[in-house]
Amino acid sequence: MKLIWLGHASFRLEIGDQILLIDPWFTGNPMFPEDQKDAATDGATAILLTHGHGDHSADTVALAKALSVPVVGIYDLMSFWEASEGIATIGFNKGGTVQIGDVAITMVNAVHSSSLGSDSGPIYAGAEAGYMIAGEGHTIYVSGDTDVMADMQIFNDLHQPDIGILAAGGHFTMDMKRAAYAAKTFFDFKTVIPCHYRTFPILEQSAEALAEALPEVNVIEPEVMQPIEL
């Protein structure tokens, strides 16, 4: 299983017989080198979207059309895009599980907001979400943009994720201290990978505090386009 950070909260996940693009954001992403887009998207089988904000969804429709792959996400937004953009989607909701090839994806709660930008202001985009992605003997928790939630205890009881991809940059999501609290209090991760940080000055620039708070966990600070073998 291979995970590649594409900057911010974007990832390429090669798992089972699938290549998933998670919240792929290229246009305007200051962390991502434009000349690497083809390499980042090559062979993708689906796009997994946590919510509608532009730093997660801006490239979704164009990528779905260019790659001829479905977008997987909250039912409301998927139905809207399928009707308005003519793309293939797999829409479901929190607590639901979809099977994509060898990979099972369960949508779980997140605490944030979700909208699409427009000239007249924000447009409703369904609800924000996180995911449990199960395959190759692992379960990965993708937190999406969220704060700490007591729900995380339920997630662990039901799914026992061994890998956590946690939004931890602060300001818009948990910061490193809060992400560490979530990991220690609710989960038994073997590996934690922070994201949604370093992109802008307003966000945290280092995961040192996260690593120090989780001495028994393998905290990996990802580098853009550098594969992580899991």
Side-chain angles (χ1 to χ4, degrees):
M1 188 166 66
K2 185 185 298 182
L3 183 72
I4 301 174
W5 193 35
L6 308 179
H8 199 55
S10 304
F11 289 90
R12 174 190 171 99
L13 175 61
E14 301 177 14
I15 179 172
D17 60 350
Q18 300 297 304
I19 298 176
L20 306 177
L21 300 179
I22 303 171
D23 286 354
W25 175 42
F26 302 116
T27 305
N29 182 346
M31 297 196 74
F32 188 80
E34 272 188 45
D35 62 355
Q36 293 293 302
K37 183 177 176 180
D38 287 348
T41 60
D42 182 50
T45 56
I47 298 169
L48 186 61
L49 189 68
T50 63
H51 66 293
H53 289 159
D55 57 333
H56 298 255
S57 73
D59 292 294
T60 301
V61 171
L63 281 172
K65 291 178 178 179
L67 301 171
S68 297
V69 298
V71 182
V72 182
I74 195 78
Y75 177 81
D76 313 62
L77 183 54
M78 297 303 102
S79 298
F80 172 69
W81 274 342
E82 190 163 318
S84 64
E85 299 288 349
I87 62 173
T89 68
I90 300 173
F92 64 134
N93 218 307
K94 297 174 184 180
T97 300
V98 296
Q99 189 77 32
I100 305 178
D102 295 338
V103 181
I105 302 173
T106 301
M107 185 183 293
V108 297
N109 195 31
V111 178
H112 191 58
S113 59
S114 181
S115 62
L116 300 173
S118 78
D119 292 340
S120 56
I123 298 173
Y124 171 72
E128 62 278 13
Y131 294 101
M132 293 289 174
I133 304 173
E136 293 193 33
H138 294 278
T139 299
I140 302 170
Y141 171 45
V142 176
S143 74
D145 287 10
T146 191
D147 188 20
V148 183
M149 303 173 289
D151 299 36
M152 291 172 171
Q153 180 66 67
I154 298 171
F155 302 166
N156 190 65
D157 290 347
L158 289 172
H159 298 278
Q160 295 88 47
D162 56 310
I163 300 165
I165 298 176
L166 306 180
H171 196 83
F172 300 106
T173 72
M174 302 181 287
D175 59 14
M176 295 297 168
K177 180 179 178 181
R178 296 172 81 85
Y181 173 87
K184 287 191 295 186
T185 305
F186 301 116
F187 295 103
D188 187 26
F189 294 128
K190 301 297 184 290
T191 302
V192 165
I193 300 165
C195 67
H196 212 285
Y197 78 120
R198 289 170 49 190
T199 321
F200 309 108
I202 200 171
L203 302 180
E204 293 208 33
Q205 301 298 304
S206 168
E208 183 178 350
L210 181 67
E212 288 179 352
L214 301 173
E216 297 181 3
V217 177
N218 182 24
V219 176
I220 301 174
E221 287 212 54
E223 295 296 335
V224 173
M225 292 301 291
Q226 297 300 308
I228 299 170
E229 301 282 350
L230 298 166

